Amino acid sequence: MSESLIIAPSLLAADFSQIGKECHRAIEAGADWLHLDIMDGHFVPNISFGPEVVRTVRSQVPDAYLDVHLMIDQPDRYARAFIEAGADMLTVHLEAPHDVRRTLNMIREEGVGVGLAINPLTLLKNSIPFFEEIDLLLCMTVNPGFGGQAFMDEVLDKVKEARAIVRERKLDMRIEVDGGINGQTGSLAAAAGADVLVAGTALFGEDSMSDALNAMRQLALEANAGG
Ligand code: DX5
Ligand code: ZN
């Protein structure tokens, strides 16, 4: 794991009738980043929100680091709109129909963080050729589309393999896990080498997000120290 652990609450599980308040709740609880899930009803069988909501979030929390996860077809067509709306990190899927290298270059040129996501069934080896070009590899730990699904622990082997490559090549690339993350699964992922934990239900669903987030961080740091 790199020097710092990032915890990124996913706004998909927030109360959208008071989105500004929910963002502040997450930040006050100790969130390092906010994770925003964009779904188009094509790449995944669900629709969430678009750039205008990202812009609203940005206006509510001007200093927050916005980690935007595009689960959409043709991310190259929409990347700039999300960057203009306030994304700090923009992650696109390897499986979506687009020229992956071109899209990653375009995001890089726009001056924000470059992320690449792979679904649970996608082989890690398909993403390895891009490792030198990205700031973050997102290993999905559920099939994307919905919050509240069960963590797929078979993804941990990919996280371990990716971490080994990062170490060996001395890369500056974070490894993010997303889907079914709670204190227990987060610590398994951290032990395997993940250094960004995304969690929706397990954080926004708690009365005290701060207790849940602190516990998640503690367990992850202990697991990593022992692993
Ligand atoms: C799933 C999304 C996740 C989701 C995680 O497609 O990418 O970010 O919000 O939700 P939980 O933590 O509830 O599994
Ligand atoms: Zn996500």
Side-chain angles (χ1 to χ4, degrees):
M1 191 160 80
S2 63
E3 60 303 323
S4 56
L5 174 74
I6 299 284
I7 298 189
S10 168
L11 293 180
L12 201 60
D15 176 354
F16 271 80
S17 70
Q18 36 186 350
I19 195 65
K21 221 170 136 193
E22 289 284 76
C23 292
H24 286 289
R25 177 159 80 105
I27 289 162
E28 277 151 30
D32 303 287
W33 294 358
L34 296 178
H35 183 85
L36 289 84
D37 287 304
I38 316 301
M39 304 178 180
D40 67 349
H42 292 276
F43 183 71
V44 289
N46 194 9
I47 300 177
S48 60
F49 53 83
E52 284 316 312
V53 171
V54 177
R55 198 183 308 281
T56 302
V57 167
R58 170 53 75 215
S59 72
Q60 296 294 309
V61 284
D63 299 327
Y65 189 94
L66 304 185
D67 176 34
V68 177
H69 175 194
L70 297 186
M71 285 163 275
I72 65 173
D73 280 352
Q74 297 181 282
D76 49 320
R77 281 182 68 176
Y78 302 98
R80 282 201 181 91
F82 285 98
I83 294 167
E84 276 163 22
D88 292 297
M89 171 74 73
L90 197 67
T91 297
V92 296
H93 268 265
L94 181 66
E95 305 85 357
H98 64 129
D99 179 334
V100 176
R101 181 152 279 123
R102 243 184 94 229
T103 309
L104 298 176
N105 283 337
M106 184 214 291
I107 299 171
R108 174 74 64 210
E109 278 166 17
E110 295 291 326
V112 299
V114 183
L116 183 65
I118 52 172
N119 284 337
L121 291 178
T122 300
L123 298 175
L124 183 75
K125 76 169 192 314
N126 297 339
S127 66
I128 295 175
F130 302 101
F131 278 15
E132 256 84 19
E133 295 156 57
I134 59 179
D135 302 302
L136 175 142
L137 176 74
L138 167 50
C139 293
M140 289 302 298
T141 41
V142 296
N143 286 311
F146 299 91
Q149 303 183 75
F151 178 79
M152 297 168 71
D153 57 5
E154 56 268 40
V155 177
L156 292 173
D157 284 341
K158 284 200 290 198
V159 173
K160 281 184 200 148
E161 205 185 325
R163 176 54 62 197
I165 296 170
V166 166
R167 278 208 191 99
E168 192 191 304
R169 299 195 197 163
K170 298 188 170 46
L171 297 173
D172 189 15
M173 181 186 93
R174 285 192 175 272
I175 301 172
E176 180 174 64
V177 285
D178 180 10
I181 299 294
N182 54 35
Q184 189 228 340
T185 57
S187 70
L188 294 174
D195 58 2
V196 183
L197 307 180
V198 174
T201 316
L203 294 177
F204 278 101
E206 292 294 318
D207 290 336
S208 168
M209 198 190 303
S210 134
D211 287 354
L213 198 147
N214 287 335
M216 185 178 288
R217 193 188 299 281
Q218 195 58 37
L219 286 168
L221 292 174
E222 281 166 14
N224 188 256

